[in-house]
Amino acid sequence: MNLEIFKSWLDSYGHAWEKQDSKTFADLFTDDAIYHANPFSEPLRGLSAILEYWSTVTRSQDQTQFSYEVLAVTQDIGIARWWASFVHISSKTKVKLDGIFVLSFDNEGRCKVLKQWWHWLEYSP
């Protein structure tokens, strides 16, 4: 892992989220990846469980925008602060998220473990 590979991974993650592109999203993770959606629930295990969760969540979102700032990169770990905004389709509520990723990667640059912490802010126009 290096800075350019990590940025490319984050760019692909953001693109997948913004476009609800499950193929790009699935390509970012190993088949046996572990995905901690938040620090207070059991992690999702395996690509199919991760993809099912992610697809369900993103179907409720519109006008998604994602950005990030790389905080640290080592040989197999990347840490980034990220921001996302979207409109929750059913309620038309605008949402902003501010979070942190701690990601572990395999030798091919695919994520083995994703841990994230985030704060959700709803607001009206």
Side-chain angles (χ1 to χ4, degrees):
M1 178 59 48
N2 63 43
L3 180 59
E4 292 310 312
I5 293 171
F6 187 41
K7 283 183 173 182
S8 178
W9 190 95
L10 290 164
D11 289 340
S12 295
Y13 184 94
H15 169 82
W17 192 353
E18 290 172 350
K19 304 299 182 193
Q20 298 179 2
D21 180 351
S22 58
K23 168 74 169 102
T24 296
F25 184 81
D27 289 344
L28 296 171
F29 294 88
T30 62
D31 290 339
D32 60 347
I34 299 171
Y35 190 104
H36 296 261
N38 67 65
F40 305 109
S41 61
E42 286 296 313
L44 301 163
R45 297 183 184 278
L47 186 55
S48 61
I50 294 166
L51 191 53
E52 181 181 336
Y53 162 80
W54 183 81
S55 296
T56 300
V57 169
T58 60
R59 278 195 302 267
S60 69
Q61 303 168 352
D62 191 27
Q63 301 173 35
T64 303
Q65 294 181 320
F66 176 86
S67 60
Y68 64 87
E69 172 188 13
V70 172
L71 301 177
V73 179
T74 68
Q75 185 174 346
D76 50 22
I77 293 176
I79 302 171
R81 181 176 180 200
W82 59 267
W83 303 269
S85 64
F86 55 86
V87 175
H88 195 270
I89 293 171
S90 64
S91 67
K92 306 293 187 229
T93 302
K94 292 183 180 179
V95 175
K96 287 185 178 180
L97 302 176
D98 188 342
I100 297 287
F101 279 145
V102 177
L103 308 169
S104 299
F105 295 91
D106 70 5
N107 292 335
E108 289 144 22
R110 294 188 314 151
C111 185
K112 298 186 302 186
V113 179
L114 178 147
K115 294 181 180 180
Q116 65 180 345
W117 298 263
W118 47 268
H119 177 72
W120 168 297
L121 172 67
E122 292 183 15
Y123 66 96
S124 299

